[in-house]
Amino acid sequence: MAESPRSGPWSRPLLRQIRRGLFASPLDTVITVVLAVLCGGGLWSFLHWVFLQADWAVVVENIRLYIHGRFPVEQVWRSWSWLGLLGVLCLATLMPARMLPRPVLRLLPLLWILILPIGLLLLAGGLGFEPVKSRFWGGLQLSLLLTLGTVLMALPLGILLALARRSSLPLLRWLTTGYIELTRGMPLIAVLFFGQLMIPLFLPEGWTFNRVLRAVLSLGFFVGAYMAEDVRGGLQSIPKTQLEAARSLGLSPLLTVALVELPQALRTALPSLANQCVASLQSTSLLAYLGLIELLGISRSILGNPSFLGRHLEVYIWLALLYWAVCILMTSLARRLERTLKVSDHH
Amino acid sequence: MASSAAPSHHSTSGVQSGDTLSAGPELAVRSQGLDKIFPNGFQALRKVDLAVAKGEVVVIMGPSGSGKSTLIRTFNGLETIQGGHLEVLGYHLDADNNQKVVSKIRHHVGMVFQSFNLFPHLSILENVTLAPVWVQKRDRQTVKKDALALLDHVGIREQAHKYPSQLSGGQQQRVAIARALALSPQLMLFDEPTSALDPEKVKEVLETIRALAAEGMTMVVVTHEVGFAREVADRVVFMDEGMIVEEASPQTFFTDPKEERSQLFLSRIL
């Protein structure tokens, strides 16, 4: 019927598609109508709640806390500067490559590494900046710092572990395999507890180190084990003939790994590695239960304030939006990187 | 692809460490009683004796599984040897497969594979400059200039900034040849260089190899191309079941083979 050319509203392609997809038979029509009523009702009551019932004061009045935590007000420009730099770096990375001058383009990877020490300097102080204790770091700023630190630690660790796991030295191989399997067998929250609560007990009296650093170390060691497996998958996807070509050109084993294997392996592993990076951001929220006032932690303490009693829904929807926005940013950065590397990818 | 336009490093008059050479200065490769046994117990080479003189073009033929690829892969240490003795460009190798010696050999021996094996993540130019820059530690600018000259020589200069996946099989194989030549090798090994190519691309690759032979390069070529062997080879070596069955000039081998197994093989492919 639909094929026969006839006039009327159903002859337009879009409408025809709708009719075929949603109203093809009486049963289809019933299902469509019921689902439409349910969805419409849900959307209506959600919008009704958002605009008429919800009290967004809990978000609006605490914006500074969500972003900077309890960072001293007079020093808050330092937190802003770091977030600003991070934003500019994201923008520069996302811009089409031809719009950037070549030197900047070359420096981008280095800048992504440097942004961490710059952040630490701006937040912690030193070099002329007034020191700010890490317990005053918080909010989105701390979540981003934790994520960045974790990724920058886990990626090199993952690469080293993946290489060690296929080493010709049995001891090294066993140790790394054991480490990776053990770490993957533990829940992250247990690892974080260990890092936050147990490590200080084992250290000699008076030896403490920063709990943000402890969190990054625990997360980094954990995520590194997962990344190692992604990199290993990438390494395994490289045909043996590539190694033969490298060897016959006289490349040493080290050069073969650095110039032939890793570049190809990381390209293959990139989507999974990007996945781990996003997962790292989500994982930082577990630290809320260990006393760090990162994004989730600060929200919990805002909810503890009697004047915002019972405003959970508002806060968690707002949090979901924030996490989602950062995740979208991270995945677009990853896609950008994939596109840049893609030229040589289709063989 | 005129052979007169050869860059200087195509010449085979490389410096020879004469004191390590025991069998006279004329030999590029000499194998004596070479045995190759794979870990699964399969013996791919049985007491192979072969000598390749400098400047000589040797074509190795034989049915699949006869050990011809394995043989040339032992020449640059891609396959270890389990018995016998091997001497390549004055370097001695035996069943201990000394890696130091192997890596020295590889600096002077170029190899071209059936499936090209270009590095897909590097541009054509980077494929060619990789080894000179990192292995020979030569100056980047000079290496780049030489690489472009080599690519020009094999007729792919225009594609220098493309990636391997953007080139045809024939072009990729010519890049692979340029990549091997970039180290100024004294010996070139070709492992079925045209077997993975579309029929219409075979000629351009064979032309490149032919030009190289005309320049006096020492070459060992494993191939099924009878026409090529007839024209370019100084000597044809026929292998079967891991042994050299017959060695002869191409004229003799293709018109009047001595051995029964050679006759049988030729009757199948001619």
Side-chain angles (χ1 to χ4, degrees):
Chain A
M1 284 278 272
E3 284 88 320
S4 66
R6 51 172 200 169
S7 53
W10 289 120
S11 61
R12 287 203 221 131
L14 179 65
L15 289 173
R16 209 159 49 206
Q17 218 172 332
I18 288 175
R19 190 177 73 138
R20 251 193 252 165
L22 300 175
F23 301 101
S25 70
L27 179 64
D28 279 9
T29 310
V30 170
I31 293 175
T32 303
V33 169
V34 169
L35 286 180
V37 167
L38 284 177
C39 291
L43 191 65
W44 170 254
S45 44
F46 178 69
L47 289 176
H48 187 260
W49 177 82
V50 166
F51 290 108
L52 299 175
Q53 286 175 302
D55 180 2
W56 295 103
V58 65
V59 173
V60 180
E61 286 172 19
N62 294 311
I63 279 287
R64 201 177 53 78
L65 284 174
Y66 289 111
I67 295 176
H68 312 289
R70 303 214 172 88
F71 210 73
V73 180
E74 66 278 12
Q75 300 291 340
V76 114
W77 64 272
R78 275 154 54 181
S79 175
W80 274 126
S81 315
W82 184 62
L83 290 172
L85 281 176
L86 199 58
V88 169
L89 194 52
C90 288
L91 270 182
T93 313
L94 288 173
M95 262 205 293
R98 60 177 185 285
M99 284 174 64
L100 286 176
R102 262 186 99 80
V104 177
L105 205 61
R106 291 236 175 110
L107 278 177
L108 271 182
L110 182 66
L111 290 175
W112 271 108
I113 296 172
L114 283 180
I115 193 78
L116 182 65
I118 291 174
L120 286 175
L121 174 69
L122 280 171
L123 296 186
L127 289 184
F129 294 123
E130 201 172 308
V132 175
K133 287 228 165 62
S134 67
R135 65 190 153 96
F136 294 115
W137 306 356
L140 182 64
Q141 162 228 82
L142 181 58
S143 290
L144 293 178
L145 189 75
L146 286 166
T147 309
L148 202 62
T150 302
V151 169
L152 287 181
M153 173 182 163
L155 190 59
L157 178 70
I159 291 172
L160 287 178
L161 285 171
L163 291 173
R165 190 164 183 179
R166 40 151 241 188
S167 157
S168 54
L169 305 170
L171 186 67
L172 191 59
R173 209 167 52 227
W174 294 333
L175 281 176
T176 39
T177 308
Y179 171 77
I180 291 171
E181 296 303 336
L182 192 71
T183 309
R184 291 203 302 168
M186 279 198 285
L188 176 56
I189 189 78
V191 177
L192 292 176
F193 262 110
F194 186 82
Q196 292 299 305
L197 306 174
M198 306 286 281
I199 288 180
L201 294 181
F202 296 143
L203 289 176
E205 191 76 29
W207 279 44
T208 53
F209 65 101
N210 189 304
R211 57 189 183 150
V212 173
L213 180 63
R214 270 181 284 156
V216 167
L217 284 178
S218 328
L219 273 168
F221 278 121
F222 185 83
V223 178
Y226 283 84
M227 285 193 170
E229 288 298 278
D230 294 335
V231 175
R232 191 168 70 101
L235 286 170
Q236 277 175 345
S237 75
I238 300 171
K240 225 181 97 210
T241 51
Q242 285 285 307
L243 307 186
E244 289 182 348
R247 283 159 67 196
S248 72
L249 285 170
L251 265 67
S252 65
L254 192 67
L255 283 178
T256 305
V257 167
L259 300 173
V260 176
E261 290 189 85
L262 271 185
Q264 295 189 57
L266 290 179
R267 238 160 261 229
T268 313
L270 189 62
S272 337
L273 291 174
N275 214 10
Q276 298 295 348
C277 294
V278 173
S280 304
L281 167 71
Q282 317 282 21
S283 305
T284 58
S285 61
L286 284 175
L287 289 160
Y289 296 89
L290 291 156
L292 266 72
I293 47 166
E294 44 63 74
L295 198 43
L296 181 63
I298 195 79
S299 308
R300 278 158 45 95
S301 81
I302 289 170
L303 283 170
N305 179 341
S307 40
F308 299 116
L309 213 59
R311 292 293 163 203
H312 291 88
L313 213 46
E314 286 88 345
V315 168
Y316 285 123
I317 285 176
W318 159 243
L319 274 193
L321 271 174
L322 269 183
Y323 276 109
W324 176 77
V326 179
C327 285
I328 289 288
L329 186 63
M330 287 172 84
T331 45
S332 20
L333 286 170
R335 256 205 307 277
R336 166 84 223 158
L337 192 58
E338 257 177 82
R339 264 204 308 277
T340 315
L341 300 174
K342 204 173 160 190
V343 200
S344 53
D345 224 28
H346 38 82
H347 351 201
Chain B
M1 213 170 301
S3 54
S4 57
S8 60
H9 44 274
H10 274 195
S11 79
T12 50
S13 58
V15 185
Q16 190 58 53
S17 44
D19 52 340
T20 55
L21 203 74
S22 57
E26 291 301 316
L27 283 187
V29 181
R30 188 171 62 161
S31 79
Q32 287 170 310
L34 207 61
D35 281 326
K36 168 72 199 179
I37 303 163
F38 281 104
N40 63 9
F42 175 72
Q43 184 155 9
L45 298 176
R46 297 162 194 274
K47 304 256 170 291
V48 173
D49 296 323
L50 179 70
V52 179
K54 292 218 151 172
E56 195 182 16
V57 178
V58 172
V59 164
I60 305 182
M61 300 190 107
S64 59
S66 58
K68 48 195 194 307
S69 288
T70 310
L71 178 63
I72 69 165
R73 286 161 59 90
T74 62
F75 292 173
N76 70 345
L78 283 186
E79 300 290 354
T80 56
I81 56 179
Q82 277 64 49
H85 184 86
L86 189 61
E87 188 183 315
V88 180
L89 300 170
Y91 297 105
H92 294 260
L93 205 59
D94 45 35
D96 68 1
N97 298 296
N98 186 328
Q99 282 307 303
K100 285 209 178 90
V101 176
V102 166
S103 88
K104 278 187 184 136
I105 290 175
R106 284 177 185 157
H107 285 69
H108 303 287
V109 178
M111 185 160 205
V112 175
F113 300 87
Q114 180 176 350
S115 49
F116 332 133
N117 302 358
L118 295 181
F119 302 126
H121 61 296
L122 299 179
S123 73
I124 298 306
L125 184 62
E126 289 164 341
N127 262 279
V128 179
T129 57
L130 185 76
V133 167
W134 290 93
V135 176
Q136 293 181 329
K137 310 238 181 328
R138 287 169 53 202
D139 168 63
R140 268 171 201 271
Q141 290 310 313
T142 330
V143 166
K144 196 173 158 187
K145 228 177 71 209
D146 290 353
L148 285 171
L150 271 173
L151 286 173
D152 196 32
H153 193 57
V154 297
I156 333 209
R157 187 175 177 142
E158 295 70 39
Q159 327 275 355
H161 294 286
K162 289 192 179 167
Y163 283 85
S165 58
Q166 296 167 304
L167 265 55
S168 76
Q171 290 172 323
Q172 287 192 50
Q173 193 60 300
R174 285 185 281 153
V175 174
I177 294 172
R179 178 175 71 173
L181 289 176
L183 285 169
S184 317
Q186 296 165 39
L187 167 67
M188 283 286 285
L189 306 172
F190 291 88
D191 189 0
E192 305 204 27
T194 58
S195 298
L197 294 176
D198 294 333
E200 78 271 18
K201 306 287 185 197
V202 169
K203 200 170 156 236
E204 62 187 56
V205 170
L206 289 183
E207 281 304 324
T208 309
I209 302 175
R210 199 189 310 259
L212 204 55
E215 288 154 19
M217 175 65 78
T218 313
M219 303 199 292
V220 182
V221 186
V222 172
T223 185
H224 297 294
E225 296 290 333
V226 174
F228 173 81
R230 226 191 269 266
E231 270 178 70
V232 181
D234 295 313
R235 187 153 48 108
V236 175
V237 171
F238 176 73
M239 287 184 72
D240 195 14
E241 294 180 343
M243 287 176 287
I244 293 182
V245 177
E246 184 166 355
E247 284 182 64
S249 71
Q251 291 80 5
T252 319
F253 181 75
F254 290 114
T255 52
D256 184 22
K258 298 280 174 299
E259 300 290 328
E260 200 180 315
R261 276 191 279 180
S262 322
Q263 291 161 5
L264 186 66
F265 176 73
L266 287 173
S267 73
R268 282 190 189 139
I269 65 165
L270 286 180

